[in-house]
Amino acid sequence: MKKSSSQKISLGLFVILSTIILIIALYFIGNRQNLFGKTFKISAVFNNVNGLILGNNVRYSGINVGTVKNINMINDTTICVDMIIEEKFLKHIKKNAVAGISSDGLVGSMVINIAPEKAFAAPLNPGDTIKSYSKISTNDMLETLNTTNDNISLLTSDLLKITTNIQKGKGTLAMLLNDPDLATSLKNTIFNLQTASKSASNSLTEFNSIIKSINYDESLSAVLLSDSIAAIQMKSIIANLDTSSFGIDSVITNLNELVLTIKNGNGTLNYVVNDTTLVNNIDSTVKNIKEGSIRLNENLEALKHNFFFRGYFKKLERKKAKEEKNKKYKSEIND
Amino acid sequence: MDILLKIVENTKIFLTEIGELSLFAKRFFKEVFTRPFEFKELLIQGYKMGNKSLLLVGVTGFILGLVFTLQSRPTLMEFGAESWMPSMVSISIVRELGPVIIALICAGKISSGIGAELGSMRVTEQIDAMEVSGTNPFKYLVVTRILAATLILPLLIIFGDAIALFGSAIVENLKGDVSFQLYFNKVFNALKFSDLIPATLKSFFFGFAIGLVGCFKGYNCKKGTVGVGEASNTAVVYASMLLFIIDFIAVFISDIFFEI
Amino acid sequence: MKNENNIVPILKIQNLKKSFGDNHVLNGFSMNLYEAENLVLMGKSGSGKSVMIKCLVGLMQPDSGSIEIMGKDITKLTQKEMNNIRTEIGFLFQGSALYDSMTVRENLEFPLRKFPEYVSKSEALVIEALESVGLKSAIDLMPEELSGGMKRRVALARAIILRPKIIIYDEPTTGLDPITAKEIIQLMKGIQLKFKTSSLIITHDVDCARVISDRMILLIDGINYIEGTFKELLNSKDKKVQEFFK
């Protein structure tokens, strides 16, 4: 019944050991780690391992096939990563498979992804080194995304300001959008402006040519700059010009006044121009004269056919033909 | 040399203790299935352990939920994931924090209580008196207590979990303007049976460990009041240690069956 | 004295040995207890008295030797048979050993709970037992509300509630003042007369031994050193014996 103390000790030892063994067994079962299964080693060389650490998973076409066993820095840009792969996957991984390092999820740990190539190749042998490619790391991606985001945020804030202003009716665009009258007048204005600018451009061209024409060596400015005597002369010329311009000015004033008087309705010309009744009258008079002359023509025709005057007209016709002949003759001589 | 001898001696004592504990557990399993069943005493012990621990477990759970939520809020806010608070808090409380912390609290209360009670009964020969009265004290005192602790602890833990989630909901309500309805909706959306079942199964073992160690220490108490103090003290220490070992194993097992 | 004529003792211990490691507590102890006899067992502290009575009720297993209670060797009994024998033995513990968590009534009912035939009339039995120790009023008190002497009396009531043939008293007067001790001794005597029980009294209190003993045994060095009436032992020339009566 009673257990001796040595029995108790061995029982205690047994309990502790079996607990430890249980824990270890559970650990390995839970980790799906093939403790006693055969494994083999392959390697890949990377420029950058992006924070890969020992024990990270190795995946082949998405299946966990092993873990990272060793990471060796060979030189400043070459890092050799050794991987332990379960043997049962050996025959499926071909020699041309490509290893890449990527992140397992956005914030997950790193994994090595071995991707198969389509071309045929022999299966891997233990100890082989496979090709690798460096992928843009999530970090880089995020960094780029960050600047893009900043820009977008600036852009949107500006856009927001503009749209708010438009909404509130501030600014030209808002007026344009909201006032149809203005739009029409603006259109006209723009059209006018266009013509104006066209003429302006013509004027400029002319002006240009003028400038070109005066832009020779002994130009006014050149003389002005070099010759003091010429300058004095120039001065007098300019003074004369000044006075003549005064004269021109007065002429223009007179002209102006003349135009004004015309405009104000004094004088015949203005009368003729401005009085429509007169114009009408004149018009109708002219018409009447026209009609009268046509009638006369007819009367004359009728008279022609009258026997009393037939002779007279025949005579007249002959005379006319003679004159015609003379004219022809004269013109032939002149030629 | 002296130190080496001492280490060997202490190791021997420790191993003996483990061996005795194993024998004690074996005796429990032998006697728990044999007549007579002390059903009335089981209910009394269940009442004593469960009902009398409600306040302690409630307060602990409430503060646990409150503090845990307050502390983890800033971290989640950094990710802009405040909306994940309910699911995160509920899963961590139901899966791990609730069972372990409440079990530890109960180890402090129940285990030491049993240790002291049985210890003093042993010292004042009450256990002998029981045996002489023709009642099997192991059945009457030990089996009922271990069984009661095993059955009561899951209930206490579920109760504590609920109070902890309530405390967490209060923080979310005050700090994050999350309504109680939304909070518990999210909690029940996040929780799966695969969270609750391993935790509940685990808590049965926690209860068993608490009861077993308390009874073992009390039942085998040495003479004198010093022995009683030592019994209740070591009961708490051993129970807490055992809780963590069980938790450790339970996590591995649930890893295999429920695929964390 | 007169009981020595009985051929068959109610309790017979032969060559009992018990040791804890190198400490040989009992070295072949033998004794007989006859019906309706008050046997006082005296010995120094640590002389193995408590161990001996624990072996008697099966709280400890002796290393060797035999214990026969009413003709049955308890070292060879099953747990169930042992429990039946135990109902024939009342045990008064040194510190009373009342169940702290129970009232006096529940304490007294506790030995009855295994026996359906007693459970039905437990109320009457409890009251009767309490009356015989004069503590009927304390029936619903908790043990912590009782004084040391009252506890001892309740414990005595609990020991006799099943009407045992043998009552074992483990230091019945320890920790009590002399007056209370005398009261307890008188009570023990009264119960012995009332229920015609055999009593095995373990004590180192000489007054107690003088008042109650029909026969005495001195337990020295783990053996039955000397046996006789109080007077015989008192007048003994043996040095070791005389030490007890100084």
Side-chain angles (χ1 to χ4, degrees):
Chain A
M1 177 85 190
K2 284 268 176 183
K3 303 267 175 188
S4 75
S5 95
S6 66
Q7 271 175 311
K8 281 175 187 168
I9 290 173
S10 51
L11 179 64
L13 203 65
F14 169 73
V15 168
I16 288 174
L17 286 180
S18 52
T19 308
I20 290 169
I21 289 168
L22 173 72
I23 288 171
I24 292 170
L26 286 172
Y27 175 77
F28 284 114
I29 294 168
N31 250 15
R32 314 284 192 282
Q33 244 186 26
N34 204 347
L35 186 63
F36 307 108
K38 282 188 179 170
T39 57
F40 66 96
K41 196 183 90 173
I42 61 170
S43 315
V45 176
F46 294 91
N47 295 330
N48 182 349
V49 292
N50 285 325
L52 191 79
I53 49 171
L54 299 187
N56 275 137
N57 282 331
V58 177
R59 290 188 186 149
Y60 178 66
S61 302
I63 307 165
N64 281 337
V65 294
T67 53
V68 173
K69 188 70 184 174
N70 210 351
I71 301 175
N72 280 325
M73 193 104 195
I74 293 172
N75 58 40
D76 56 347
T77 53
T78 317
I79 300 160
C80 179
V81 176
D82 296 337
M83 294 163 268
I84 291 290
I85 308 288
E86 283 174 49
E87 192 170 35
K88 57 183 173 179
F89 295 103
L90 178 65
K91 55 179 183 276
H92 301 298
I93 305 177
K94 305 284 189 276
K95 279 193 166 163
N96 60 357
V98 178
I101 296 172
S102 58
S103 167
D104 191 6
L106 196 61
V107 285
S109 53
M110 309 307 286
V111 293
I112 291 185
N113 271 314
I114 301 175
E117 288 284 284
K118 276 195 182 131
F120 178 78
L124 268 183
N125 292 320
D128 278 357
T129 301
I130 56 173
K131 283 187 288 180
S132 71
Y133 73 98
S134 285
K135 217 172 155 187
I136 308 165
S137 74
T138 325
N139 253 0
D140 297 342
M141 253 157 65
L142 284 177
E143 232 160 73
T144 318
L145 213 64
N146 205 14
T147 33
T148 313
N149 272 339
D150 283 348
N151 292 343
I152 287 172
S153 99
L154 287 175
L155 216 67
T156 46
S157 72
D158 285 350
L159 208 65
L160 194 72
K161 266 183 213 160
I162 292 166
T163 47
T164 329
N165 285 342
I166 289 172
Q167 206 80 41
K168 284 179 184 163
K170 279 182 201 164
T172 326
L173 202 61
M175 241 141 88
L176 247 172
L177 283 173
N178 299 334
D179 191 352
D181 294 344
L182 188 78
T184 330
S185 57
L186 201 72
K187 205 167 159 187
N188 289 336
T189 313
I190 286 167
F191 181 73
N192 290 344
L193 221 65
Q194 213 167 24
T195 23
S197 72
K198 215 175 256 172
S199 41
S201 116
N202 286 337
S203 313
L204 272 175
T205 331
E206 280 170 30
F207 197 67
N208 243 354
S209 57
I210 291 166
I211 287 171
K212 257 180 202 156
S213 63
I214 57 169
N215 196 14
Y216 48 86
D217 269 354
E218 293 114 72
S219 71
L220 186 64
S221 48
V223 172
L224 257 170
L225 285 169
S226 56
D227 198 339
S228 55
I229 306 159
I232 297 161
Q233 280 178 351
M234 256 337 276
K235 231 179 191 174
S236 63
I237 289 169
I238 285 169
N240 289 345
L241 252 168
D242 221 32
T243 36
S244 60
S245 76
F246 270 118
I248 291 167
D249 211 42
S250 57
V251 171
I252 286 170
T253 320
N254 292 344
L255 248 165
N256 245 353
E257 274 168 351
L258 187 71
V259 170
L260 267 174
T261 42
I262 290 169
K263 238 189 190 165
N264 290 342
N266 307 331
T268 331
L269 188 62
N270 182 58
Y271 187 78
V272 171
V273 172
N274 288 348
D275 195 340
T276 47
T277 338
L278 181 77
V279 169
N280 279 346
N281 286 346
I282 289 169
D283 210 33
S284 55
T285 310
V286 168
K287 219 186 216 167
N288 289 342
I289 291 168
K290 225 177 184 173
E291 271 174 6
S293 70
I294 290 168
R295 289 249 177 84
L296 200 70
N297 248 358
E298 280 172 2
N299 286 345
L300 278 173
E301 196 73 12
L303 217 70
K304 251 196 261 187
H305 294 286
N306 195 295
F307 74 95
F308 286 108
F309 299 99
R310 197 183 285 168
Y312 167 72
F313 281 105
K314 274 197 178 162
K315 223 203 260 161
L316 204 71
E317 249 174 347
R318 260 183 243 127
K319 209 180 161 181
K320 206 178 175 181
K322 218 180 172 174
E323 267 174 19
E324 203 92 50
K325 232 183 224 170
N326 281 341
K327 252 189 192 170
K328 252 184 195 170
Y329 181 70
K330 271 185 189 167
S331 66
E332 274 169 9
I333 289 171
N334 285 347
D335 286 343
Chain B
M1 201 61 201
D2 258 11
I3 296 168
L4 201 74
L5 218 72
K6 217 171 185 180
I7 289 171
V8 169
E9 197 55 37
N10 281 338
T11 315
K12 261 187 184 173
I13 289 170
F14 178 70
L15 290 178
T16 313
E17 196 113 319
I18 299 288
E20 280 174 350
L21 183 63
S22 309
L23 290 174
F24 196 78
K26 184 187 141 201
R27 189 170 169 197
F28 165 76
F29 284 115
K30 215 175 96 190
E31 302 217 7
V32 72
F33 296 115
T34 53
R35 292 180 154 283
F37 303 115
E38 305 283 358
F39 193 68
K40 199 179 152 203
E41 183 64 13
L42 175 68
L43 289 184
I44 290 169
Q45 289 303 326
Y47 170 79
K48 270 190 184 170
M49 288 175 196
N51 210 28
K52 299 281 166 71
S53 301
L54 274 185
L55 185 69
L56 180 72
V57 168
V59 169
T60 312
F62 184 76
I63 293 172
L64 167 70
L66 205 89
V67 170
F68 182 56
T69 309
L70 273 175
Q71 295 279 42
S72 40
R73 250 187 90 77
T75 316
L76 275 195
M77 267 170 84
E78 223 164 272
F79 290 106
E82 299 106 296
S83 63
W84 282 70
M85 277 304 291
S87 24
M88 195 204 84
V89 168
S90 62
I91 285 175
S92 36
I93 283 179
V94 168
R95 283 190 96 120
E96 189 58 35
L97 279 181
V100 170
I101 288 184
I102 289 164
L104 282 177
I105 289 286
C106 289
K109 185 180 159 56
I110 296 175
S111 211
S112 69
I114 293 173
E117 191 186 3
L118 293 193
S120 60
M121 283 181 89
R122 169 63 79 195
V123 167
T124 58
E125 299 181 303
Q126 290 176 49
I127 291 178
D128 290 340
M130 238 169 229
E131 183 135 28
V132 169
S133 301
T135 296
N136 183 347
F138 195 91
K139 261 187 192 306
Y140 187 81
L141 297 173
V142 173
V143 170
T144 54
R145 276 168 173 77
I146 295 178
L147 215 54
T150 308
L151 297 176
I152 282 299
L153 214 77
L155 298 179
L156 282 178
I157 282 171
I158 288 170
F159 171 76
D161 286 350
I163 298 281
L165 289 180
F166 178 70
S168 166
I170 284 179
V171 173
E172 281 294 291
N173 190 285
L174 294 178
K175 284 216 143 190
D177 281 333
V178 176
S179 72
F180 284 96
Q181 192 185 1
L182 177 63
Y183 185 88
F184 283 104
N185 243 335
K186 281 188 168 177
V187 165
F188 286 116
N189 270 336
L191 286 179
K192 293 191 220 89
F193 276 111
S194 60
D195 297 320
L196 195 63
I197 288 173
T200 310
L201 290 179
K202 182 164 79 178
S203 50
F204 278 104
F205 286 97
F206 285 170
F208 175 73
I210 287 171
L212 181 76
V213 173
C215 288
F216 171 70
K217 281 288 164 187
Y219 200 74
N220 296 326
C221 178
K222 292 182 197 80
K223 284 274 180 192
T225 40
V226 180
V228 177
E230 204 187 297
S232 77
N233 186 18
T234 49
V236 178
V237 175
Y238 275 50
S240 309
M241 230 160 68
L242 205 55
L243 285 181
F244 282 115
I245 294 171
I246 290 172
D247 191 46
F248 192 50
I249 296 172
V251 166
F252 281 130
I253 291 177
S254 64
D255 182 27
I256 292 167
F257 287 104
F258 289 95
E259 200 75 43
I260 291 174
Chain C
M1 292 164 273
K2 56 185 184 281
N3 295 324
E4 278 174 60
N5 303 327
N6 276 347
I7 310 290
V8 183
I10 195 163
L11 175 69
K12 188 175 170 189
I13 297 174
Q14 278 184 331
N15 202 25
L16 196 67
K17 282 182 182 168
K18 177 77 184 170
S19 53
F20 298 97
D22 292 334
N23 181 16
H24 301 286
V25 180
L26 293 175
N27 271 327
F29 177 79
S30 304
M31 62 159 252
N32 292 327
L33 177 69
Y34 300 99
E35 222 168 297
E37 172 192 41
N38 286 336
L39 177 62
V40 172
L41 188 66
M42 273 182 98
K44 285 191 279 192
S45 292
S47 60
K49 300 170 297 190
S50 290
V51 173
M52 197 275 289
I53 55 170
K54 280 188 177 165
C55 289
L56 273 185
V57 290
L59 292 173
M60 278 183 191
Q61 291 292 322
D63 293 341
S64 66
S66 71
I67 301 165
E68 277 182 35
I69 296 173
M70 296 187 296
K72 287 174 184 163
D73 187 351
I74 63 159
T75 57
K76 296 186 176 95
L77 290 179
T78 63
Q79 190 70 32
K80 204 180 172 188
E81 288 167 319
M82 187 65 215
N83 280 344
N84 285 332
I85 291 288
R86 277 168 178 166
T87 62
E88 304 290 344
I89 304 171
F91 203 126
L92 181 72
F93 284 91
Q94 199 171 344
S96 307
L98 296 179
Y99 307 128
D100 296 326
S101 56
M102 303 176 192
T103 63
V104 169
R105 183 203 300 274
E106 286 165 337
N107 261 291
L108 294 188
E109 279 173 349
F110 196 84
L112 306 176
R113 54 196 288 283
K114 288 285 133 193
F115 305 99
E117 66 269 26
Y118 286 119
V119 171
S120 53
K121 50 181 179 179
S122 67
E123 180 75 20
L125 282 168
V126 168
I127 288 170
E128 195 192 333
L130 279 176
E131 271 175 345
S132 55
V133 296
L135 269 179
K136 201 188 154 195
S137 55
I139 186 162
D140 284 322
L141 294 179
M142 296 299 283
E144 65 210 16
E145 297 170 283
L146 304 176
S147 68
M150 285 162 86
K151 272 187 193 164
R152 204 59 58 91
R153 284 199 264 173
V154 173
L156 189 53
R158 189 178 65 185
I160 61 166
I161 196 161
L162 278 174
R163 306 285 161 73
K165 295 269 190 328
I166 305 164
I167 301 177
I168 298 169
Y169 298 94
D170 188 2
E171 314 244 1
T173 57
T174 313
L176 298 176
D177 60 276
I179 299 162
T180 316
K182 260 178 203 154
E183 281 173 23
I184 296 289
I185 291 164
Q186 289 307 315
L187 210 56
M188 285 158 67
K189 261 194 140 172
I191 284 164
Q192 198 264 331
L193 289 173
K194 190 174 173 186
F195 297 108
K196 299 275 181 271
T197 54
S198 312
S199 302
L200 178 61
I201 300 141
I202 297 184
T203 187
H204 49 247
D205 181 351
V206 180
D207 286 335
C208 172
R210 187 180 61 235
V211 173
I212 207 161
S213 68
D214 297 328
R215 193 157 62 93
M216 277 184 74
I217 290 174
L218 288 188
L219 180 63
I220 297 168
D221 297 334
I223 52 158
N224 187 348
Y225 189 75
I226 192 166
E227 204 173 331
T229 61
F230 184 78
K231 268 182 193 162
E232 285 167 17
L233 293 186
L234 191 61
N235 299 326
S236 167
K237 298 281 183 278
D238 194 304
K239 239 185 180 176
K240 281 185 179 173
V241 176
Q242 279 180 336
E243 277 182 358
F244 284 93
F245 300 101
K246 269 178 186 168

